[in-house]
Structures are given as C-alpha cells and as structure tokens.
Amino acid sequence: MNLEFNKNEDAMKLAVSQMKQRHAQVSLGGGKKAIEKAREKGKMTPRERIQYLIDKDSAFVEIGAFAGWEMYQEHGGCPAAGTVAGLGYISGRQCVIVANDNTVKAGAWFPITGKKNLRLQEIAMENHLPIVYIVDSAGVYLPMQDEIFPDKEHFGRIFRNNAQISAMGITQIAAVMGSCVAGGAYLPIMSDETLMVEGNGSIFLAGPYLVKAAIGEDADLQSLGGAKMHTEVSGIADYKFDTEAECLDQVRRIIDKIGEQPRAGFDRAVPAEPKKDVKEIYGLVSVDNSKPYDVVEVIERLVDNSEFDQFKEDYGKTIVCGYARIDGWAVGIVANQRKIVKSGKGEMQLGGVIYNDSADKAARFIQNCNQKKIPLVFLQDVTGFMVGSRSEQSGIIKDGAKLVNAVSNSVVPKITIVIGNSYGAGNYAMCGKAYDPRFIYAWPNAKIAVMGGEQAAKTLLQIQVAALKSKGQEIDPEKERELLKEITDRYNAQTSSYYAAARLWVDEIIDPVDTRRVISEGINAANHNPVMKEFKTGVFQV
C-alpha cells in the first residue's frame, strides 16, 4: 500500500474512533446521576432494556443515535433525541424497537424526538415490521410545546400512525415501564397489547397535580393510572408484572407467536465474504473527500466474493452501475466514480460530477432493476451535475431530470450510503433523504450541503462584501480573509455528518466496515413487505 493509502487509513480510523467516543457519550443519556436515580426505582436504562429484549448474539442496527446532537443546548440538550431505537431480532423476528429514555428530561418529547419517533414508525410501515414501544415518558416538553404539539409532523401524528399501522395488520406492542401521560396515553391503548410494570408504570390523561387543579380531586399516581387499576378496573392494560425483566419476557413470548406473513421475494443466495479485505476501505477514501479514488475498489470490498458485474462499463463513466450480492442479497449498485476518467469522446471528466451520459446510464439501470425486482444501493460521493454552456447546450437538465424521475418513481427498496460528498442536485439524483430511501446511512467523513464549502463560502463572501460596500464600507484584503474564514467555518460545521444525523437527514453514522451489515439488514427488513406498486416513470424528455 502507498503513502496516500496509509494517510487515508489513519485519518479514517481516527474519525471512526471519534464517532465511537461520541456514541459512548450519547449512550449515557441524561448522565450517570440520572441513571443511578432510575436504577433506585428498579429501572434499566433504555439500552439495557433493548439488550435484554433482543435475541442473544443477534444484530441490532441503531437508528438516530446522533439525533439531537448539539441541539437544544439552552435546554440542557437532548441526547439521541431522548429515545433509543433501531432494528432488532426478538424471538427470531426482525422488529422495530422504540424505547423512551427517562433519564433525558423524564423522557419528554422535544421536536427532534417527535421526528425520530415518526421515522421509526415510517420504517415499520414501509417494511411491514412489528414495532415494540418501551414507554417511559413525561410527554411533550412544555417549554417547546409550540414546536412539537400541533403540526402535521408533530406529536399527534404518532397516534394517527398507530391507527394506520394497526389497519395495515402490523403488530404493535407497548411495554409501559414508566410514565405515560396526557396525549401520550393514547399510544399504548392504540397498540395491539399493553403490558405494565407495577409501581413504575402509569397511564393517565392528567396527573395528580393537574387533576387537583382542574377538578379539586386528590388522587395518587397508582389510583389514577397504575398497573393494578388498569388491569383490574379500567381494563385498559392486558398484563401487569412486578419487574421489567418479566415484562420484557412476555413481549418476547407475544412476538414468538406471530404467524408468518408473505414476503417480497428478493433473491438471496448463500452469503459469502468479499475476497478483498473489507478493512482496506479505510485507506481508499480520504476523510476530507478531496482525493480521487476508484469507487469500484470500494465496491469490491463490500460485495460477496468481490464480484461486481458492471453495466455499460465504458459509457457514462462518472457513475458506476452494476449487479452484485451483499450478504447473499442480489443488489443493483449505483455509485459515483471519484477518479478522473475519459469519456467515450476522449474528453477528461471530473470525478464525482454527473455528466449527461452518466445520468442517462443510471436512469436506464434503475429501470432495469425495477423490471427485475432487484433492490438498489446508492453509494453517494457526488459534487453535483456538470455545469457550463457546453453541458447546458447538451441538455444536462433534461438528462438530470430523467435520472431524478427514475429515482423518484422506483418501487424497489432503495438504500443509500453517503460515503463522501453529497452536494446540490447530486444529492437528489443519488437518492438523498427527500427521495424516500428505505434507509440512509453516512460514513463519518460525509458532507451534505447545497454545494461544497469552498464554493459556497466564496459565493456568500461576494454577497456580504457587496452588501457592505453598498453601505459605504471599505473592505481591505485582511478583513476579507477574516470574513471568508468565518463564513467557511460556519458553513463547514453545517455540512458535517453529525449536523446531518442530528436532524435525521441520515438515519445513522456508521463505521465504513459495517456497510455490508446495515445494507443486508435493510434489505431483510424490506423483504417483509410483499406489496410493490407498478413501476411507472411518467413523462420526461428523451
């Protein structure tokens, strides 16, 4: 391996190490004191609850660990959006699991909490997966109620989704291990079965203080909504248990008895490891996304036996398309090529840029995968579409629209991995979050923005300098450099993978060597939904 490879490897391993350190920080939720306080009440942490619930030695793919990262600092922060969630196996069945973290503001819902919970319900609905809610929440975070309560994508949408999930025949189980207050009280009751832990679990529309204020009645937590009352008097809950472990054991028994459902039927062969070392991915891609590399080398470290059959290999070379298997699953891969290549006309083409022929090829390949019922994997490292008079005259907008049309109307599952840059319309064409990938992950080096930091900063600088000059202010070169640095630093902070993950533009930041695993788990999830619409691309210019 050359010196450049070694530099890349060291930098990527450092980025992965930082990611793991930050994940460990997030995993503490509201902090050690809050955890100890919960344990005094006989409570596990949400992560301990999930680990107890899922099958031993089985995979758990976390979703949204960095949701809320560095947000709401004026309110004390909201680690992991106050919810731990992901895909896990319970009694051999893949499920969505959503666990409130009562150590974070008593499990109260911030705006990002609502967004994360809705995303997990969306995953359950799209993939027909059973969903288990581990409930321990004080409800809406009142200081921010105007940003979480009334709108279409706010708190109330959760219960609308409960109703729709039920109508779709998807199992919902609610294990109430703490507070379940006000509007939140509807979630367990709209689930198929409700389990409660005696002493800690409670469900009511109004707590003792509000009841006293509203109607003057003195009532304690247990008489208002404890497990004994709801299993013996109201009939709202179905089971009560003395401990959390007993409660979670019953969840496992319920899931164990769910009948088999039809599958989508995506093709899977016996899995095989790549022949090329997966860990060599660390050395192939530069952390600052500035160096060219051959994306085929990356692909060959992700796919079974390192076998990749390229589609139109000698045409449209800045997007690589082809068929492969990942952990046995048949996939169609669409990847941005970052090395500088020659077009069929002998012209040099910039890596990471989508040209007319590349867009045309990728659109055709996506159609083929839909025809064959093959899931799509997008590997994003794109700086955008080619610009300039020559490209415009060649119809780059038309060819780009053709690709966006194919991505938008694709009916097979799409899984997107941002392995580098994700800029501008390239983000859209390569199946960014707005284009409904079933799952979207990012490597630690990923950058998502309307354009690259350098170009954006220079554009913003020109606008700011022009505005200052219009007010009669003179800007010397030193002041201009200071302004450029300030703008660049601010812009770069907003393009990082953590900024994106905090806002759920990506589902999770992953170690590059975990890419095979998350893709495989994503296709397995998608295979549970047998319903697939007819593929139609609509009207586009040819």
Side-chain angles (χ1 to χ4, degrees):
M1 298 300 176
N2 59 30
L3 180 61
E4 192 63 45
F5 180 96
N6 292 334
K7 285 181 178 178
N8 290 344
E9 183 179 43
D10 289 344
M12 187 64 84
K13 284 183 175 179
L14 189 62
V16 170
S17 175
Q18 181 191 54
M19 179 197 74
K20 290 179 178 178
Q21 289 171 10
R22 290 180 169 183
H23 189 275
Q25 180 184 336
V26 164
S27 297
L28 290 174
K32 292 180 180 178
K33 286 185 179 178
I35 291 172
E36 287 306 314
K37 189 175 178 181
R39 284 188 174 143
E40 287 171 6
K41 299 177 182 177
K43 292 186 175 186
M44 304 184 206
T45 69
R47 294 178 188 278
E48 288 169 343
R49 288 165 174 170
I50 290 172
Q51 283 303 313
Y52 185 91
L53 179 62
I54 63 175
D55 299 342
K56 284 183 172 55
D57 302 320
S58 66
F60 179 69
V61 178
E62 187 164 356
I63 301 292
F66 292 103
W69 176 259
E70 294 187 336
M71 295 171 67
Y72 314 118
Q73 295 303 306
E74 67 279 19
H75 296 277
C78 187
T83 306
V84 181
L87 299 178
Y89 289 86
I90 304 171
S91 299
R93 293 178 183 275
Q94 194 178 32
C95 300
V96 174
I97 306 170
V98 185
N100 299 124
D101 189 346
N102 79 301
T103 70
V104 179
K105 293 286 192 297
W109 288 51
F110 284 71
I112 195 65
T113 313
K115 188 173 183 180
K116 180 172 175 177
N117 279 263
L118 288 170
R119 173 62 181 141
L120 271 298
Q121 287 186 320
E122 179 183 48
I123 289 170
M125 294 166 84
E126 284 185 330
N127 300 291
H128 282 217
L129 294 176
I131 181 166
V132 176
Y133 307 99
I134 302 177
V135 185
D136 194 345
S137 172
V140 166
Y141 183 59
L142 289 178
M144 301 186 74
Q145 64 85 25
D146 61 320
E147 297 181 47
I148 181 59
F149 172 65
D151 211 343
K152 182 178 179 181
E153 301 302 327
H154 284 177
F155 185 73
R157 187 81 169 184
I158 299 290
F159 317 123
R160 174 263 192 192
N161 284 354
N162 285 141
Q164 293 215 330
I165 291 170
S166 183
M168 293 170 70
I170 298 170
T171 298
Q172 298 178 90
I173 307 295
V176 181
M177 299 188 170
S179 297
C180 193
V181 184
Y186 287 104
L187 184 144
I189 312 312
M190 297 186 76
S191 298
D192 297 359
E193 297 188 59
T194 303
L195 302 79
M196 296 185 71
V197 175
E198 198 161 8
N200 284 335
S202 58
I203 304 172
F204 41 66
L205 292 178
Y209 294 122
L210 183 53
V211 168
K212 178 68 173 176
I215 63 172
E217 179 186 348
D218 291 310
D220 60 45
L221 285 172
Q222 294 307 308
S223 62
L224 269 176
K228 184 177 176 64
M229 191 281 284
H230 279 312
T231 52
E232 297 180 11
V233 181
S234 75
I236 278 174
D238 305 304
Y239 312 86
K240 70 174 186 289
F241 302 93
D242 293 329
T243 67
E244 293 188 355
E246 291 171 332
C247 182
L248 294 172
D249 287 340
Q250 180 63 25
V251 173
R252 292 179 57 81
R253 289 193 290 271
I254 293 169
I255 296 294
D256 180 57
K257 294 172 179 64
I258 298 173
E260 280 297 322
Q261 302 293 326
R263 302 293 174 101
F266 301 123
D267 187 67
R268 192 178 195 186
V270 176
E273 291 295 317
K275 288 182 178 177
K276 295 187 176 182
D277 188 354
V278 176
K279 291 183 179 178
E280 289 176 356
I281 287 176
Y282 289 143
L284 295 173
V285 180
S286 64
V287 168
D288 63 3
N289 305 333
S290 63
K291 306 292 194 314
Y293 62 90
D294 186 355
V295 76
V296 175
E297 291 289 335
V298 174
I299 292 168
E300 287 176 346
R301 285 160 177 82
L302 297 177
V303 301
D304 292 13
N305 292 315
S306 299
E307 293 175 352
F308 179 55
D309 299 323
Q310 282 204 54
F311 174 79
K312 291 184 182 288
E313 183 175 355
D314 299 318
Y315 178 74
K317 293 183 179 180
T318 64
I319 291 184
V320 170
C321 300
Y323 303 103
R325 290 188 183 276
I326 293 179
D327 198 31
W329 295 106
V331 295
I333 297 174
V334 181
N336 301 112
Q337 177 59 283
R338 279 302 305 269
K339 72 176 183 179
I340 298 171
V341 296
K342 280 187 178 181
S343 72
K345 300 175 184 177
E347 304 159 329
M348 299 305 293
Q349 295 186 330
L350 298 171
V353 177
I354 301 175
Y355 290 77
N356 298 69
D357 52 359
S358 302
D360 181 69
K361 176 174 86 171
R364 175 64 180 272
F365 181 71
I366 290 167
Q367 289 178 313
N368 282 351
C369 288
N370 277 272
Q371 183 89 341
K372 298 180 176 74
K373 208 165 86 168
I374 299 174
L376 284 159
V377 173
F378 291 83
L379 301 179
Q380 279 198 13
D381 191 352
V382 58
T383 53
F385 285 85
M386 189 59 190
V387 297
S389 57
R390 186 169 183 174
S391 288
E392 298 292 0
Q393 290 165 14
S394 298
I396 187 66
I397 297 174
K398 173 194 69 179
D399 291 321
K402 189 188 303 181
L403 176 54
V404 170
N405 198 318
V407 172
S408 302
N409 288 296
S410 179
V411 296
V412 295
K414 300 169 290 191
I415 296 174
T416 300
I417 314 290
V418 186
I419 67 173
N421 298 319
S422 180
Y423 293 153
N427 170 281
Y428 305 154
M430 292 295 294
C431 197
K433 184 64 182 288
Y435 288 76
D436 291 331
R438 292 291 179 95
F439 300 93
I440 178 168
Y441 298 99
W443 289 1
N445 57 302
K447 290 181 172 62
I448 301 173
V450 72
M451 64 177 72
E454 186 179 348
Q455 304 95 307
K458 287 179 178 177
T459 303
L460 290 167
L461 177 67
Q462 290 171 11
I463 295 169
Q464 195 163 331
V465 168
L468 291 170
K469 285 182 177 178
S470 70
K471 295 175 183 177
Q473 298 183 33
E474 287 299 319
I475 307 297
D476 60 46
E478 181 61 30
K479 178 65 174 175
E480 196 166 309
R481 280 193 293 273
E482 288 177 10
L483 279 172
L484 180 60
K485 184 180 184 306
E486 179 188 326
I487 293 168
T488 302
D489 290 347
R490 185 173 67 248
Y491 192 89
N492 284 340
Q494 294 175 353
T495 68
S496 79
S497 58
Y498 293 96
Y499 193 91
R503 290 151 183 82
L504 287 169
W505 301 344
V506 296
D507 290 323
E508 192 64 279
I509 302 171
I510 62 168
D511 184 334
V513 300
D514 284 339
T515 303
R516 267 175 61 86
R517 180 173 70 91
V518 299
I519 291 172
S520 176
E521 292 298 330
I523 298 173
N524 188 33
N527 196 42
H528 286 79
N529 185 353
V531 181
M532 198 175 300
K533 295 183 294 185
E534 182 183 355
F535 178 60
K536 295 180 180 179
T537 54
V539 177
F540 59 85
Q541 292 194 18
V542 296

